[in-house]
Amino acid sequence: MNHSFLILITFMSVLISSASSCNKVDDNINSENSHTMINGKIKITVNSQTFTATLFNNNSAKAFKEMLPLTINMIELNSNEKYYDLPDDLPTNSSNPETIKNGDLMLYTSKTLVLFYKTFSTSYSYTKLGTIDDVAGFASALGSGNIIVTFELL
């Protein structure tokens, strides 16, 4: 009887540790709003200035990438962002980033593309699409009014 009890304890121990490690792997794989930047590079042209952005590895960024090339009239809002309402919904997994950074490319709700050019705190939720690689001159390039912006694959 002692031998059977030891085998049972060993089996239960292996089973519990296996299940625990599976959950950790699944949590990482299912992270839609991931900060992993392996989805690719895009070119963003504002006036005659070009900026490179790296897209995040999530379904929203992949769907956005499939829409490119895209030339749109982005509307000024709050002296910190430009936005454009896309014709179709994109997949979302929004969360509150707490801090918006200059160069963040995000989706508000499922249709509003937002390009931020100032860093500030927020209480709103967004789905992260990507970020400008080098923001030097980005805010001045976007200016203070509505602007035509082109998004292209690199």
Side-chain angles (χ1 to χ4, degrees), residues 3-21:
H3 184 51
S4 296
F5 181 72
L6 266 171
I7 291 173
L8 179 63
I9 294 294
T10 304
F11 175 74
M12 293 297 290
S13 189
V14 169
L15 186 64
I16 289 170
S17 68
S18 295
S20 173
S21 66

Side-chain angles (χ1 to χ4, degrees), residues 51-64:
F51 299 89
T52 302
T54 302
L55 295 178
F56 291 116
N57 185 26
N58 63 42
N59 290 334
S60 307
K62 289 173 187 169
F64 175 68

Side-chain angles (χ1 to χ4, degrees), residues 1-148:
M1 213 160 162
N2 267 345
H3 184 51
S4 296
F5 181 72
L6 266 171
I7 291 173
L8 179 63
I9 294 294
T10 304
F11 175 74
M12 293 297 290
S13 189
V14 169
L15 186 64
I16 289 170
S17 68
S18 295
S20 173
S21 66
C22 286
N23 286 341
K24 289 179 184 170
V25 171
D26 288 346
D27 288 346
N28 290 334
I29 290 170
N30 292 329
S31 180
E32 173 68 23
N33 230 356
S34 171
H35 293 302
T36 306
M37 296 193 258
I38 59 173
N39 197 40
K41 299 273 187 181
I42 61 170
K43 179 170 79 169
I44 300 174
T45 305
V46 181
N47 291 322
S48 60
Q49 293 184 301
T50 300
F51 299 89
T52 302
T54 302
L55 295 178
F56 291 116
N57 185 26
N58 63 42
N59 290 334
S60 307
K62 289 173 187 169
F64 175 68
K65 188 177 176 182
E66 290 173 9
M67 298 175 71
L68 304 183
L70 185 66
T71 299
I72 54 178
N73 181 22
M74 298 194 82
I75 299 167
E76 170 65 34
L77 183 64
N78 300 324
S79 299
N80 61 20
E81 67 187 80
K82 307 290 186 191
Y83 77 91
Y84 175 80
D85 288 329
L86 298 167
D88 298 313
D89 291 330
L90 295 181
T92 63
N93 186 9
S94 59
S95 63
N96 178 291
E98 296 180 9
T99 301
I100 300 287
K101 294 183 182 85
N102 178 11
D104 280 347
L105 177 63
M106 298 192 191
L107 189 63
Y108 179 71
T109 66
S110 61
K111 291 180 85 160
T112 304
L113 180 67
V114 187
L115 192 51
F116 293 95
Y117 61 92
K118 288 189 181 171
T119 299
F120 63 96
S121 296
T122 186
S123 61
Y124 292 98
S125 291
Y126 299 90
T127 299
K128 296 178 180 185
L129 298 177
T131 187
I132 302 293
D133 296 337
D134 181 0
V135 295
F138 187 61
S140 60
L142 288 175
S144 60
N146 299 353
I147 194 157
I148 302 294

